[in-house]
Amino acid sequence: MDDLSKQRFSLDDWQVSATEGVLLRGSEEVRIEPKVMEVLVYFASRQGQVITRDELEQDVWHGALVGYDAVTSTVIKLRKALKDDAKNPRYIATIPKKGYQLIATVRPASQEPEQGQQDKTEQYDPKHSYSADSRQSFFTKPVLAITLLAAILFTFWLWSSQTGNELVNTPSILVLPFKNKSDTNQHDNFVDGITEDVITDLSRLSRLSVMASSATFKYKGKQVTPQDIKTEHSVDYILQGNIRRLGERLRLNIQLIDTNTGFNTWAERYDRKPDEIFALQDEITGKIIDALSIQQSPEEIQRLAQRATNNLKAYEHFLEGQRLSKVFSKESSAQANDAYRKAIQIDPTYGRAYGALAFVLAVDYRRGWTDYPVETLERALSLAEQAVSLDGSIPQTHWALGYVYFMRKEHAMAEKAVAESIRIAPNYADGYGLLALINNNLGNAQQALDYVEKGMQLNPCL
């Protein structure tokens, strides 16, 4: 490993400069993070061997305590840099329940690839582990061509709006729970709701990787440094802030911090009226987009311009429903039901409140908390459909519809609805989690595992 880390070497058609952190292929140049390069060098030093997660944590992270997703996210970044496909790997194969295997050929930079060498890298059977010298082809040439074409088309469809370097350089962010600096705890729901909404808005950006709220709220009330977050989640930035609500004034201090340097990339202080919170959320999202130079598609711009509600009172009832629905008891479910209904009564166009109420009713059905299960599920479906009709610009309404269909065992309809939620918000971890459950029920085990892997990249608590 030390020898490789000090020189150039080739990985099939890629030239690797470990000291510069650069991959070269023809005129293409890709720069990767130091930790990603360490993993690549480690794989190259053990070409053809199956490497466990424990070995990576011990030898690359040197035994440091890291989150479960740290290894996964680093390997994902490496695959993106190499333009590799986890389903049809040419470079790095995932060996189920074991670890990873470098299946490409490593050579000193001075050596030219032998004729036919590229064919060897495409002879991987995911059901078995191979040594570097014992892999044997199981594809016929026509099937191989079709398989490679499908992989290329899938990659183009998924990342059609991004260049190779943009894929590797997509910034990642974790939004820490905003701190309630008010004199009372009664505004906790309000502060947590703003945090959730900022995460939701950012998750709709395809060129930004955003950690899920359920992964970030574990830090609520804790003191952590940017370096702590970087070590555990390998994110490039954290957003942190505090909110003080005093009568008719709302004060917010917010900072966007680079986890590599610990310095602010952007910081701002706001002094507004509480009913201006929705415009303020839009402004914060826009400032982050500008600070990170994120390009938006016209569709993303249009979606972000839409607001779930402009009514502060309806929003506060909705947030109370959100708090109660997370308790998961029969009593709290009934109270959440009432809170969502109050929000809808105040703002009959509040699509997200309809979707949340549909979810609560579906949970009542699932847990046997209703004396009228058939009617309850029918009502949930009606509300979820109304939610999408009123506001189809957010992932939560489509997710709620998918969850209701899932409870009805209408798996094809459920998959279609939830797929729309992640089309709208590519970083929506709950969408990948539900798609995994749906595909597991459909018998699509590998597809379910792929969704789990993507979901856990965004939310290690999934």
Side-chain angles (χ1 to χ4, degrees):
M1 180 170 179
D2 289 339
D3 291 341
L4 286 172
S5 65
K6 296 176 182 177
Q7 64 179 16
R8 290 175 177 264
F9 62 93
S10 65
L11 192 68
D12 284 349
D13 50 348
W14 286 101
Q15 296 295 317
V16 182
S17 176
T19 54
E20 297 175 332
V22 173
L23 303 178
L24 297 169
R25 183 169 62 180
S27 61
E28 187 175 9
E29 178 178 315
V30 179
R31 294 189 174 275
I32 60 177
E33 300 173 10
K35 186 60 68 177
V36 178
M37 180 58 77
E38 283 187 59
V39 170
L40 175 56
V41 170
Y42 186 68
F43 281 164
S45 71
R46 298 181 56 183
Q47 175 193 358
Q49 299 179 33
V50 177
I51 300 170
T52 67
R53 297 177 65 90
D54 288 342
E55 289 174 316
L56 282 169
E57 290 178 7
Q58 183 61 43
D59 297 339
V60 179
W61 275 265
H62 308 294
L65 184 62
V66 297
Y68 181 83
D69 70 320
V71 173
T72 301
S73 63
T74 303
V75 173
I76 288 173
K77 288 180 180 179
L78 179 55
R79 279 178 169 148
K80 286 182 179 180
L82 293 168
K83 311 297 188 296
D84 204 9
D85 184 348
K87 294 182 179 180
N88 298 285
R90 291 186 58 197
Y91 302 96
I92 302 167
T94 299
I95 309 301
K97 298 182 180 180
K98 293 183 179 180
Y100 302 99
Q101 182 184 36
L102 185 69
I103 57 175
T105 300
V106 178
R107 299 181 306 277
S110 60
Q111 291 186 12
E112 295 295 326
E114 297 176 8
Q115 185 175 5
Q117 187 65 58
Q118 295 302 313
D119 291 341
K120 294 182 181 180
T121 66
E122 298 161 352
Q123 299 168 3
Y124 166 68
D125 184 344
K127 296 181 180 178
H128 298 87
S129 168
Y130 294 89
S131 67
D133 298 326
S134 65
R135 296 195 301 272
Q136 295 184 1
S137 175
F138 62 93
F139 284 116
T140 62
K141 290 295 182 181
V143 173
L144 176 58
I146 293 171
T147 302
L148 290 176
L149 178 60
I152 293 169
L153 289 175
F154 174 80
T155 304
F156 177 78
W157 169 79
L158 188 60
W159 303 106
S160 58
S161 64
Q162 302 178 354
T163 66
N165 284 338
E166 287 172 334
L167 276 175
V168 178
N169 297 325
T170 297
S172 55
I173 187 170
L174 183 147
V175 181
L176 288 171
F178 292 164
K179 297 178 181 178
N180 178 16
K181 291 292 186 177
S182 306
D183 295 333
T184 173
N185 292 333
Q186 72 181 65
H187 298 307
D188 277 355
N189 279 357
F190 183 76
V191 174
D192 289 348
I194 294 173
T195 306
E196 292 261 14
D197 287 346
V198 170
I199 293 172
T200 295
D201 285 346
L202 294 176
S203 72
R204 289 190 269 183
L205 299 169
S206 59
R207 299 190 181 188
L208 178 66
S209 179
V210 186
M211 295 296 294
S213 61
S214 50
T216 65
F217 267 84
K218 69 178 182 179
Y219 297 111
K220 185 176 179 178
K222 298 180 179 179
Q223 294 292 331
V224 291
T225 66
Q227 290 72 27
D228 293 334
I229 301 298
K230 178 71 174 180
T231 299
E232 186 164 3
H233 295 290
S234 298
V235 293
D236 302 309
Y237 300 91
I238 61 171
L239 186 73
Q240 66 180 25
N242 60 72
I243 299 175
R244 184 185 298 273
R245 187 173 179 180
L246 296 171
E248 293 304 310
R249 300 310 300 172
L250 186 69
R251 294 175 182 171
L252 188 151
N253 291 288
I254 193 164
Q255 298 170 300
L256 179 66
I257 302 172
D258 187 325
T259 59
N260 291 305
T261 65
F263 297 131
N264 287 350
T265 299
W266 163 75
E268 193 70 73
R269 178 179 179 179
Y270 299 93
D271 194 347
R272 303 288 176 83
K273 295 178 180 179
D275 59 4
E276 294 178 309
I277 185 58
F278 309 110
L280 181 55
Q281 289 173 359
D282 293 343
E283 187 172 341
I284 291 171
T285 302
K287 291 287 188 180
I288 295 170
I289 291 171
D290 290 342
L292 301 183
S293 301
I294 297 170
Q295 293 183 349
Q296 298 172 261
S297 69
E299 192 175 16
E300 288 172 345
I301 294 172
Q302 184 179 7
R303 288 202 192 102
L304 284 173
Q306 297 177 341
R307 296 180 186 169
T309 184
N310 286 313
N311 190 298
L312 181 60
K313 202 66 180 176
Y315 181 62
E316 289 175 333
H317 283 299
F318 171 79
L319 294 179
E320 178 65 8
Q322 292 290 86
R323 182 187 70 81
L324 291 163
S325 67
K326 294 173 183 177
V327 178
F328 284 108
S329 69
K330 185 175 182 179
E331 181 182 6
S332 65
S333 183
Q335 293 171 339
N337 188 311
D338 290 340
Y340 291 137
R341 289 183 186 278
K342 288 177 182 176
I344 291 169
Q345 185 177 9
I346 295 171
D347 182 359
T349 66
Y350 198 171
R352 191 175 176 190
Y354 284 87
L357 180 55
F359 170 71
V360 165
L361 292 177
V363 170
D364 287 348
Y365 167 83
R366 179 183 179 185
R367 294 181 177 252
W369 291 340
T370 173
D371 295 328
Y372 308 97
V374 175
E375 293 82 355
T376 297
L377 203 54
E378 286 296 327
R379 178 60 176 156
L381 179 60
S382 176
L383 287 165
E385 290 174 337
Q386 195 169 0
V388 172
S389 176
L390 288 167
D391 192 352
S393 68
I394 57 176
Q396 290 90 347
T397 54
H398 296 278
W399 187 93
L401 179 59
Y403 186 83
V404 173
Y405 275 130
F406 184 52
M407 290 298 100
R408 291 166 61 89
K409 300 189 186 329
E410 297 179 49
H411 295 130
M413 295 294 288
E415 185 174 28
K416 181 179 179 181
V418 183
E420 181 65 13
S421 77
I422 61 173
R423 188 187 75 82
I424 291 171
N427 294 283
Y428 190 43
D430 289 350
Y432 293 103
L434 185 50
L435 280 173
L437 287 174
I438 293 168
N439 276 271
N440 186 57
N441 277 265
L442 288 171
N444 302 330
Q446 185 56 54
Q447 185 67 64
L449 288 172
D450 291 342
Y451 283 129
V452 167
E453 182 176 7
K454 176 61 178 177
M456 289 191 69
Q457 178 189 357
L458 300 167
N459 180 8
C461 304
L462 192 65

